[in-house]
Amino acid sequence: MGFLRDCTIIFMTSQRKQFPFPEFESRWQARWLEEGAFRCPNPGDPDFEASKPKYYVLDMFPYPSGDGLHVGHVEGYTATDIIARSKRMQGFNVLHPMGWDAFGLPAEQYAIRTGRHPRETTNRNIANFRSQLQSLGFSYDWSREISTTHPEYFRWTQWIFLQLYNSWYNPDSRKAEPISTYTGSDPDSVRLAYVAEVPVNWCPELGTVLENEEVVDGKSEVGGFAVERRPLRQWMLRITAYSDRLLEGLSALDWPEGVKLLQRNWIGRSEGASVRFQVSNSEFEIEVFTTRPDTLFGATYMVLSPEHPLVAKITTSQQSEEVLNYQKKVSSKSDLERTELSKEKTGVFTGACAVNPANGEKVPVWIADYVLLSYGTGAIMAVPAHDERDFEFAKAFGLPIREVVRKDPAYTGGTPVPPDVPQATCFSGEGVAVNSGFLDGMSTGEAKGAMIGFLEEQGCGLKTVTTKLRDWLFSRQRYWGEPFPIIWEEGRHRPLAEHELPVIQPEMVDFKPTGTSEPPLAKAIEWVAYSETARRETNTMPQWAGSCWYYLRFCDSRLETRFVGEEAEKYWMSSEGLGGVDLYVGGTEHAVLHLLYARFWHKVLFDLGHVSSPEPFRKLVNQGMILGPDGQKMSKSRGNVVTPEHVISEYGADSLRLYEMFMGPLEQMKPWSMKGVEGVYRFLARVWRLAMKENQEGQWEISPDLCDEAPTASQLRVLHATIKKVTDDFEAMAFNTAIAQLMVGTNEFVNASPRPVESLRILLPLLSPLAPHLCEELWGILGTTFAGFEGHASKAPWPTHDPGILEVEEIELIIQINGKLKDKLRVGKSLAENEVLALAMALPKIQEAVSGKTIHKTILVPGKLVNLVVK
RNA sequence: CGGCUCGUGGUGGAAUGGCAGACACAGAAGACUUAAAAUCUUCUGGGGGAAACCCCGUGCGGGUUCGAGUCCCGCCGAGCCGACCA
């Protein structure tokens, strides 16, 4: 038994591959690394070629996790590598870098469990990721490799934080300016980086603050303990100052419309009015925001968020017990419960009333958890007839519902409408104002303007714009992140000087949470003590920080004197129009946060004159997810993970790359299939055998079928059609159809004998960005015998097609009757229209089809078709 | 509940508004081989026909158009995202 099984294993593993990729792939990879084959010089470097245009193609750099890469992760990297390689061949200076977004929770959690420093885990994972990527033959300029965890990198992350800290957004110039230009009394109140008390996720059981990612369904991911919100002093970034510019900037970007929409919705700009309601018998006012000031006459009650500070002040003594109970109930609900129970509206009356400024009516003030403290003013005027949520609430608590907007656009006012009738439905659209005093008869648009005018005149309201976007909570209670370059002294913060950077985390052995809301760095007593009176900030920055500007560092990643060299930044980041990275490829999971944060930082740096383009990423492409062979998302727990190592050992890196691109459109989600890999593997073997033949001894030698004679006219036409199709498809990133055409081009020559070597002079450079190892190898071998294979396939000039060769003398027209195909007709290219028509009419099938019928119309699309409309 | 994306053979997919199914996978038959693997050749949307060929067909129902897989409206289904945003 044992013997048999061993034999089988030996047989399987030593099975001869269809072409010797195991040998040549690793050989070329080693050589590319040794020679620094894809190092790309900067302006000022001795080998820099200023005459070439530039192209900056960027991947979203990975978080080097302990699990390593699976085949889904490398799809985007393969696509950018093909673009990088083909652009290089087309004469561009190509910047194609790779690095590591290596701060993050898993390394810290591992450190807490084992006591090993997170740096160890991180470095080990980086080494693994690097070798995985190198085993795919990606043409990165490894001399520019960066890690966000490296002090020489994060000193500049800290430096950029200081730029934010030391500047403010001037609403008049609509840009960031040095804080010294601020003339107000309290500069700390306008800095782009500021301190505020905001709620964080606090888990009493674990004695630690948790990241949002560590909280699942209101419970800690580890242990499943309850998590509550607790206010804590935090660093914030004033991204809301940029909401208009972040919104406006989107339209010019060559990004998927879906991503732009996500960002627009995330920013959530809405125009309306803020309205102040006087609370009856008190000095308090309730300010609300509404997008529908035209419905103010229909506001029959008000709602405050349960957490609203006014609640305690206005609640009457009779109602206070009920209000306190409700507040308690709400605060113990997790976010999930609060949204899950959204169908059932709850709330209590405060006992207070407010005055509707439009009609002077007294309306009751309620509290309810369907009003959120974090949006608008945390209070609303409720118009139940024209807002679904208010409608449901009013029905539940028997509050009056007054119609103030008529759906019927023909209604022009005049007809009396009975007020305060309970209605079956709620109308939230636009129409004509009714029951609304001076607004009656106006369209919703007119009424909005008229009401805002009235409110501003009365001094109890203003035209206002609100956004959903909140300021960015920028501090984390973690060890493994960038420390802040900030010192606290006598309760006040101040920045460190530039020469004091980088601020490096102290060496620690105990990474456990402190058990209080203090970050772990607080335990490093000596490090914290900056001087006798001053202490260091102990929070660290979130993982987003490093990824907000890494694309800039890649332009000049070894520079020690500046975050990026001015000349290098200008060269790589500017181009006609917007400028920025020419192509950025990554997953949709970063559609909002990373891309919005990076745009924000970039705009600040732009305002302060540190970068030359207003936007960081000119063109963005999202690759689709690759699913497991079972059509499910790849995951360890499902056991459907396919690793690059597995595919490479069986079929080679070129097959893996080619299959990833052949599966379907890049942006689309698609399932993995090993049978599909075999298909492209067979194709690569056919390309190999185009050039090579196995002799009696089992050695590969140049095929005796190859000859240096000219291809036939039809072979030449296929070759040039392939050049055109592959060139166009690469430009459109339609790699699957480019590969299909390369298969057509190859199949044309598979059985040709003699076989013109010109086929390989053209096909190998076209295939080289997709399957670089194979092409490099064959190019080298053919160069020993044939002319035209000088140098390397990866540096070969990109073939250009001759339109003359693609022109044909005869074209095939399709002949339709009433738009349906009936026959085909071959005619001379330049035959006159009437002659074409005459020939078409003469076809027996057409004769038959039109006999006894009248031809009403004739459509003739030159070079394409004839369509006869008959009856 | 809302938004976005997408529905094409047994499968992945192709098709500037103009021949639906390129290119592959799987399947069938054949060639080579002692045999297998590999390779090569042919067939492969459905129905009818001996064949030439004919009819039907891109989730469903309408519309625009000489002509719709493609554009517009409504529905059904799948996936992703956001969720009481005033």
PDB file of all heavy atoms in Angstrom, chain A residues 109-128:
ATOM      1  N   GLN A 109      -2.673  42.915  18.495  1.00  0.00           N
ATOM      2  CA  GLN A 109      -3.374  41.893  19.270  1.00  0.00           C
ATOM      3  C   GLN A 109      -2.502  40.662  19.471  1.00  0.00           C
ATOM      4  O   GLN A 109      -2.489  40.060  20.543  1.00  0.00           O
ATOM      5  CB  GLN A 109      -4.692  41.530  18.575  1.00  0.00           C
ATOM      6  CG  GLN A 109      -5.757  42.574  18.856  1.00  0.00           C
ATOM      7  CD  GLN A 109      -6.968  42.460  17.970  1.00  0.00           C
ATOM      8  OE1 GLN A 109      -6.928  41.812  16.920  1.00  0.00           O
ATOM      9  NE2 GLN A 109      -8.049  43.100  18.370  1.00  0.00           N
ATOM     10  N   TYR A 110      -1.738  40.341  18.425  1.00  0.00           N
ATOM     11  CA  TYR A 110      -0.793  39.222  18.539  1.00  0.00           C
ATOM     12  C   TYR A 110       0.259  39.537  19.608  1.00  0.00           C
ATOM     13  O   TYR A 110       0.628  38.690  20.415  1.00  0.00           O
ATOM     14  CB  TYR A 110      -0.129  38.993  17.179  1.00  0.00           C
ATOM     15  CG  TYR A 110       0.760  37.785  17.135  1.00  0.00           C
ATOM     16  CD1 TYR A 110       0.223  36.510  17.024  1.00  0.00           C
ATOM     17  CD2 TYR A 110       2.147  37.918  17.198  1.00  0.00           C
ATOM     18  CE1 TYR A 110       1.029  35.399  16.982  1.00  0.00           C
ATOM     19  CE2 TYR A 110       2.971  36.810  17.155  1.00  0.00           C
ATOM     20  CZ  TYR A 110       2.412  35.557  17.047  1.00  0.00           C
ATOM     21  OH  TYR A 110       3.219  34.446  17.010  1.00  0.00           O
ATOM     22  N   ALA A 111       0.684  40.806  19.622  1.00  0.00           N
ATOM     23  CA  ALA A 111       1.679  41.237  20.604  1.00  0.00           C
ATOM     24  C   ALA A 111       1.120  41.137  22.021  1.00  0.00           C
ATOM     25  O   ALA A 111       1.827  40.731  22.944  1.00  0.00           O
ATOM     26  CB  ALA A 111       2.113  42.671  20.304  1.00  0.00           C
ATOM     27  N   ILE A 112      -0.152  41.504  22.195  1.00  0.00           N
ATOM     28  CA  ILE A 112      -0.773  41.429  23.520  1.00  0.00           C
ATOM     29  C   ILE A 112      -0.795  39.977  23.987  1.00  0.00           C
ATOM     30  O   ILE A 112      -0.489  39.668  25.131  1.00  0.00           O
ATOM     31  CB  ILE A 112      -2.205  42.012  23.482  1.00  0.00           C
ATOM     32  CG1 ILE A 112      -2.129  43.526  23.268  1.00  0.00           C
ATOM     33  CG2 ILE A 112      -2.964  41.689  24.762  1.00  0.00           C
ATOM     34  CD1 ILE A 112      -3.461  44.184  22.964  1.00  0.00           C
ATOM     35  N   ARG A 113      -1.101  39.048  23.079  1.00  0.00           N
ATOM     36  CA  ARG A 113      -1.177  37.632  23.450  1.00  0.00           C
ATOM     37  C   ARG A 113       0.192  37.049  23.764  1.00  0.00           C
ATOM     38  O   ARG A 113       0.336  36.241  24.664  1.00  0.00           O
ATOM     39  CB  ARG A 113      -1.819  36.822  22.310  1.00  0.00           C
ATOM     40  CG  ARG A 113      -3.331  36.932  22.228  1.00  0.00           C
ATOM     41  CD  ARG A 113      -3.935  35.746  21.493  1.00  0.00           C
ATOM     42  NE  ARG A 113      -3.315  35.503  20.193  1.00  0.00           N
ATOM     43  CZ  ARG A 113      -3.669  36.138  19.088  1.00  0.00           C
ATOM     44  NH1 ARG A 113      -4.618  37.048  19.118  1.00  0.00           N
ATOM     45  NH2 ARG A 113      -3.073  35.874  17.947  1.00  0.00           N
ATOM     46  N   THR A 114       1.202  37.428  22.992  1.00  0.00           N
ATOM     47  CA  THR A 114       2.487  36.730  23.071  1.00  0.00           C
ATOM     48  C   THR A 114       3.582  37.544  23.736  1.00  0.00           C
ATOM     49  O   THR A 114       4.622  36.997  24.084  1.00  0.00           O
ATOM     50  CB  THR A 114       2.980  36.377  21.656  1.00  0.00           C
ATOM     51  OG1 THR A 114       3.170  37.596  20.935  1.00  0.00           O
ATOM     52  CG2 THR A 114       1.979  35.502  20.936  1.00  0.00           C
ATOM     53  N   GLY A 115       3.394  38.847  23.858  1.00  0.00           N
ATOM     54  CA  GLY A 115       4.449  39.677  24.405  1.00  0.00           C
ATOM     55  C   GLY A 115       5.560  39.991  23.409  1.00  0.00           C
ATOM     56  O   GLY A 115       6.536  40.652  23.741  1.00  0.00           O
ATOM     57  N   ARG A 116       5.406  39.482  22.169  1.00  0.00           N
ATOM     58  CA  ARG A 116       6.409  39.807  21.131  1.00  0.00           C
ATOM     59  C   ARG A 116       6.079  41.170  20.563  1.00  0.00           C
ATOM     60  O   ARG A 116       4.921  41.539  20.415  1.00  0.00           O
ATOM     61  CB  ARG A 116       6.362  38.774  19.991  1.00  0.00           C
ATOM     62  CG  ARG A 116       6.400  37.340  20.474  1.00  0.00           C
ATOM     63  CD  ARG A 116       7.716  36.994  21.126  1.00  0.00           C
ATOM     64  NE  ARG A 116       8.804  36.939  20.154  1.00  0.00           N
ATOM     65  CZ  ARG A 116       9.100  35.839  19.454  1.00  0.00           C
ATOM     66  NH1 ARG A 116       8.399  34.743  19.604  1.00  0.00           N
ATOM     67  NH2 ARG A 116      10.108  35.854  18.598  1.00  0.00           N
ATOM     68  N   HIS A 117       7.096  41.913  20.199  1.00  0.00           N
ATOM     69  CA  HIS A 117       6.882  43.259  19.675  1.00  0.00           C
ATOM     70  C   HIS A 117       6.156  43.197  18.333  1.00  0.00           C
ATOM     71  O   HIS A 117       6.474  42.358  17.498  1.00  0.00           O
ATOM     72  CB  HIS A 117       8.225  43.973  19.505  1.00  0.00           C
ATOM     73  CG  HIS A 117       8.087  45.449  19.390  1.00  0.00           C
ATOM     74  ND1 HIS A 117       7.711  46.056  18.228  1.00  0.00           N
ATOM     75  CD2 HIS A 117       8.238  46.445  20.306  1.00  0.00           C
ATOM     76  CE1 HIS A 117       7.646  47.369  18.428  1.00  0.00           C
ATOM     77  NE2 HIS A 117       7.978  47.631  19.676  1.00  0.00           N
ATOM     78  N   PRO A 118       5.167  44.079  18.089  1.00  0.00           N
ATOM     79  CA  PRO A 118       4.426  44.059  16.817  1.00  0.00           C
ATOM     80  C   PRO A 118       5.348  44.221  15.607  1.00  0.00           C
ATOM     81  O   PRO A 118       5.011  43.768  14.515  1.00  0.00           O
ATOM     82  CB  PRO A 118       3.481  45.260  16.921  1.00  0.00           C
ATOM     83  CG  PRO A 118       3.462  45.676  18.335  1.00  0.00           C
ATOM     84  CD  PRO A 118       4.649  45.087  19.030  1.00  0.00           C
ATOM     85  N   ARG A 119       6.485  44.859  15.829  1.00  0.00           N
ATOM     86  CA  ARG A 119       7.423  45.065  14.715  1.00  0.00           C
ATOM     87  C   ARG A 119       7.868  43.729  14.132  1.00  0.00           C
ATOM     88  O   ARG A 119       7.994  43.578  12.917  1.00  0.00           O
ATOM     89  CB  ARG A 119       8.639  45.851  15.211  1.00  0.00           C
ATOM     90  CG  ARG A 119       9.502  46.431  14.093  1.00  0.00           C
ATOM     91  CD  ARG A 119      10.717  47.145  14.643  1.00  0.00           C
ATOM     92  NE  ARG A 119      10.366  48.241  15.527  1.00  0.00           N
ATOM     93  CZ  ARG A 119      10.728  48.322  16.816  1.00  0.00           C
ATOM     94  NH1 ARG A 119      11.445  47.368  17.367  1.00  0.00           N
ATOM     95  NH2 ARG A 119      10.359  49.350  17.546  1.00  0.00           N
ATOM     96  N   GLU A 120       8.066  42.740  15.026  1.00  0.00           N
ATOM     97  CA  GLU A 120       8.514  41.409  14.568  1.00  0.00           C
ATOM     98  C   GLU A 120       7.498  40.785  13.615  1.00  0.00           C
ATOM     99  O   GLU A 120       7.845  40.369  12.510  1.00  0.00           O
ATOM    100  CB  GLU A 120       8.642  40.465  15.770  1.00  0.00           C
ATOM    101  CG  GLU A 120       9.924  40.580  16.513  1.00  0.00           C
ATOM    102  CD  GLU A 120       9.969  39.557  17.646  1.00  0.00           C
ATOM    103  OE1 GLU A 120       9.475  38.413  17.454  1.00  0.00           O
ATOM    104  OE2 GLU A 120      10.465  39.913  18.738  1.00  0.00           O
ATOM    105  N   THR A 121       6.262  40.729  14.093  1.00  0.00           N
ATOM    106  CA  THR A 121       5.199  40.139  13.277  1.00  0.00           C
ATOM    107  C   THR A 121       5.081  40.886  11.949  1.00  0.00           C
ATOM    108  O   THR A 121       4.962  40.284  10.890  1.00  0.00           O
ATOM    109  CB  THR A 121       3.839  40.269  13.993  1.00  0.00           C
ATOM    110  OG1 THR A 121       4.057  40.431  15.366  1.00  0.00           O
ATOM    111  CG2 THR A 121       2.954  39.128  13.675  1.00  0.00           C
ATOM    112  N   THR A 122       5.099  42.218  12.068  1.00  0.00           N
ATOM    113  CA  THR A 122       4.931  43.039  10.886  1.00  0.00           C
ATOM    114  C   THR A 122       6.023  42.752   9.868  1.00  0.00           C
ATOM    115  O   THR A 122       5.750  42.533   8.690  1.00  0.00           O
ATOM    116  CB  THR A 122       4.937  44.531  11.293  1.00  0.00           C
ATOM    117  OG1 THR A 122       3.900  44.743  12.237  1.00  0.00           O
ATOM    118  CG2 THR A 122       4.728  45.409  10.089  1.00  0.00           C
ATOM    119  N   ASN A 123       7.271  42.718  10.346  1.00  0.00           N
ATOM    120  CA  ASN A 123       8.371  42.491   9.403  1.00  0.00           C
ATOM    121  C   ASN A 123       8.310  41.106   8.771  1.00  0.00           C
ATOM    122  O   ASN A 123       8.604  40.939   7.581  1.00  0.00           O
ATOM    123  CB  ASN A 123       9.721  42.700  10.103  1.00  0.00           C
ATOM    124  CG  ASN A 123       9.967  44.176  10.394  1.00  0.00           C
ATOM    125  OD1 ASN A 123       9.320  45.051   9.794  1.00  0.00           O
ATOM    126  ND2 ASN A 123      10.867  44.467  11.311  1.00  0.00           N
ATOM    127  N   ARG A 124       7.882  40.141   9.572  1.00  0.00           N
ATOM    128  CA  ARG A 124       7.782  38.786   9.030  1.00  0.00           C
ATOM    129  C   ARG A 124       6.698  38.735   7.941  1.00  0.00           C
ATOM    130  O   ARG A 124       6.896  38.182   6.862  1.00  0.00           O
ATOM    131  CB  ARG A 124       7.441  37.810  10.159  1.00  0.00           C
ATOM    132  CG  ARG A 124       7.686  36.366   9.811  1.00  0.00           C
ATOM    133  CD  ARG A 124       7.537  35.470  11.030  1.00  0.00           C
ATOM    134  NE  ARG A 124       6.223  35.581  11.635  1.00  0.00           N
ATOM    135  CZ  ARG A 124       6.019  35.777  12.946  1.00  0.00           C
ATOM    136  NH1 ARG A 124       7.034  35.895  13.777  1.00  0.00           N
ATOM    137  NH2 ARG A 124       4.786  35.875  13.412  1.00  0.00           N
ATOM    138  N   ASN A 125       5.561  39.382   8.229  1.00  0.00           N
ATOM    139  CA  ASN A 125       4.473  39.377   7.248  1.00  0.00           C
ATOM    140  C   ASN A 125       4.858  40.134   5.977  1.00  0.00           C
ATOM    141  O   ASN A 125       4.491  39.744   4.868  1.00  0.00           O
ATOM    142  CB  ASN A 125       3.215  39.998   7.851  1.00  0.00           C
ATOM    143  CG  ASN A 125       2.614  39.119   8.940  1.00  0.00           C
ATOM    144  OD1 ASN A 125       3.002  37.962   9.075  1.00  0.00           O
ATOM    145  ND2 ASN A 125       1.692  39.665   9.691  1.00  0.00           N
ATOM    146  N   ILE A 126       5.584  41.236   6.150  1.00  0.00           N
ATOM    147  CA  ILE A 126       6.022  42.004   4.981  1.00  0.00           C
ATOM    148  C   ILE A 126       6.914  41.137   4.108  1.00  0.00           C
ATOM    149  O   ILE A 126       6.756  41.081   2.887  1.00  0.00           O
ATOM    150  CB  ILE A 126       6.752  43.293   5.414  1.00  0.00           C
ATOM    151  CG1 ILE A 126       5.745  44.314   5.963  1.00  0.00           C
ATOM    152  CG2 ILE A 126       7.545  43.883   4.248  1.00  0.00           C
ATOM    153  CD1 ILE A 126       6.363  45.597   6.495  1.00  0.00           C
ATOM    154  N   ALA A 127       7.848  40.421   4.748  1.00  0.00           N
ATOM    155  CA  ALA A 127       8.766  39.577   3.977  1.00  0.00           C
ATOM    156  C   ALA A 127       7.980  38.527   3.184  1.00  0.00           C
ATOM    157  O   ALA A 127       8.274  38.262   2.013  1.00  0.00           O
ATOM    158  CB  ALA A 127       9.767  38.906   4.907  1.00  0.00           C
ATOM    159  N   ASN A 128       6.955  37.982   3.812  1.00  0.00           N
ATOM    160  CA  ASN A 128       6.128  36.982   3.138  1.00  0.00           C
ATOM    161  C   ASN A 128       5.369  37.586   1.962  1.00  0.00           C
ATOM    162  O   ASN A 128       5.349  37.038   0.855  1.00  0.00           O
ATOM    163  CB  ASN A 128       5.155  36.367   4.149  1.00  0.00           C
ATOM    164  CG  ASN A 128       4.278  35.312   3.517  1.00  0.00           C
ATOM    165  OD1 ASN A 128       4.761  34.548   2.680  1.00  0.00           O
ATOM    166  ND2 ASN A 128       3.009  35.282   3.884  1.00  0.00           N
TER     167      ASN A 128
END
